[in-house]
């Protein structure tokens, strides 16, 4: 493992911005996960799982490209912490994360592709000669 130079101011700012984006996206995905459609609201529509499947891997990939591959886990970690933290111990002690298949769909559709992107990026960086944390 090689030791890389410290992050520049722009890299730190970009990492903070990506982490903030992960917080906002996790909150929106949590709060709109119970969305239902239909004349009586009987059909669950977990569209936020699709949003998470696109945005969470994109945040990881952007962190790898603009900051460095060794820190590309930060948006995924922030997203997971917000989803579980707010989802299970939400505002006023409410459980925001719905207790059915939609929660599993959100976690699987968002965190799994992001973890695959993270692993692929770290593997490519290691093959090039060091991850550089």
């Amino acid at each position: 493992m090689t030791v890389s130079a410290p992050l520049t101011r722009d890299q730190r700012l970009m990492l903070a911005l990506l982490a903030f984006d992960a917080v906002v996206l996790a909150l929106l995905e949590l709060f709109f996960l119970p969305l239902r459609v239909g004349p009586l609201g009987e059909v669950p529509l977990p569209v936020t799982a699709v949003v998470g499947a696109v945005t969470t891997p994109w945040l990881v990939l952007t962190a790898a490209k603009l900051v460095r591959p060794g820190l590309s886990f930060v948006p995924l970690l922030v997203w997971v912490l917000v989803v579980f933290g707010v989802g299970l111990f939400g505002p006023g002690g409410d459980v925001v994360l719905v207790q059915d298949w939609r929660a599993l769909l959100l976690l699987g559709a968002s965190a799994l592709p992001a973890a695959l992107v993270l692993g692929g990026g770290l593997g490519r960086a290691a093959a090039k000669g060091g991850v550089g944390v």
Side-chain angles (χ1 to χ4, degrees), residues 70-120:
L71 292 174
S72 60
F73 70 93
V74 171
L76 178 59
L77 179 65
V78 168
W79 185 88
V80 168
L81 289 176
V82 170
V83 165
F84 281 115
V86 175
L88 299 176
F89 311 106
D94 294 336
V95 176
V96 179
L97 190 61
V98 291
Q99 305 293 315
D100 63 8
W101 61 271
R102 292 172 290 177
L104 292 174
L105 181 65
L106 176 67
L107 293 170
S110 300
L112 183 62
L116 291 173
V117 169
L118 175 64

Side-chain angles (χ1 to χ4, degrees), residues 39-81:
L40 301 174
E42 67 275 357
V43 180
L45 182 68
V47 70
T48 59
V50 176
V51 172
V54 172
T55 58
T56 311
W58 178 79
L59 288 172
V60 170
L61 185 62
T62 304
K65 286 183 180 179
L66 298 180
V67 180
R68 72 172 51 137
L71 292 174
S72 60
F73 70 93
V74 171
L76 178 59
L77 179 65
V78 168
W79 185 88
V80 168
L81 289 176

Side-chain angles (χ1 to χ4, degrees), residues 9 12 15 28-30 32 45 92 94 99 107-108 123 126-127:
R9 184 180 65 83
R12 285 193 307 268
L15 191 60
L28 288 173
E29 291 163 11
L30 269 176
F32 285 102
L45 182 68
D94 294 336
Q99 305 293 315
L107 293 170

